[in-house]
Amino acid sequence: MEERLGTVTRPVTAHVSAPKAPPLPVPAELQYGITDPYAVRLSLGSSTGPPVTWSFARELLTEGLRRPTGPGDVLVIPGHCHRPHSLRIVLRNPAGTALVEIADTEVTAFLQQAFALVPAGTESDHLDIDGAITALMGGSHRPQP
């Protein structure tokens, strides 16, 4: 796991499958940073181009370790009888659906580091609301020290 100031990155191996296709191992990376404290990113490597990155709630990934969760484009499901020590992430978009499986120990270790960086309930302390409002209004903003 790599930890830079304000970020946590964990390389993992994901097993990705599409409907009616066997799972294939794919290099992947879990990412978290204080500049977007509510979200995690899952980047899936590709031998034919740049990685595909999905962004979704850190809480969704956390809750998915315990029970199925996520009614939208991302569904997270804890291990099942055939692979009890994996976390399944179902990714859906208009182009199709993919099932991504990652070892639950890797996800747990990643989340421990992410919560050490920004504890649950303190996410809003890391948001620059004034800067976001200023940017939306087309101005410049200098963060307060």
Side-chain angles (χ1 to χ4, degrees):
M1 175 165 335
E2 176 185 332
E3 191 172 339
R4 287 178 276 134
L5 185 62
T7 63
V8 175
T9 302
R10 185 175 194 88
V12 297
T13 297
H15 292 83
V16 179
S17 57
K20 300 180 183 179
L24 298 172
V26 173
E29 188 173 81
L30 290 164
Q31 306 157 344
Y32 178 79
I34 64 171
T35 58
D36 192 0
Y38 290 102
V40 295
R41 285 172 187 68
L42 171 63
S43 295
L44 301 168
S46 169
S47 59
T48 59
V52 175
T53 301
W54 284 75
S55 181
F56 49 93
R58 177 173 72 164
E59 186 60 31
L60 180 71
L61 190 60
T62 303
E63 190 66 26
L65 285 167
R66 294 187 294 277
R67 63 178 183 86
T69 189
D73 293 340
V74 179
L75 173 66
V76 184
I77 307 164
H80 58 97
C81 58
H82 294 93
R83 296 187 76 160
H85 301 292
S86 68
L87 183 71
R88 294 178 290 165
I89 304 170
V90 180
L91 304 171
R92 293 177 255 191
N93 69 19
T97 300
L99 172 65
V100 178
E101 292 187 86
I102 302 172
D104 60 4
T105 55
E106 295 287 344
V107 175
T108 299
F110 166 75
L111 286 170
Q112 286 173 343
Q113 291 290 315
F115 281 108
L117 189 61
V118 177
T122 68
E123 294 90 350
S124 65
D125 297 345
H126 299 276
L127 296 176
D128 180 9
I129 301 297
D130 292 336
I133 291 170
T134 302
L136 286 172
M137 295 176 67
S140 62
H141 170 71
R142 290 188 301 182
Q144 298 295 319

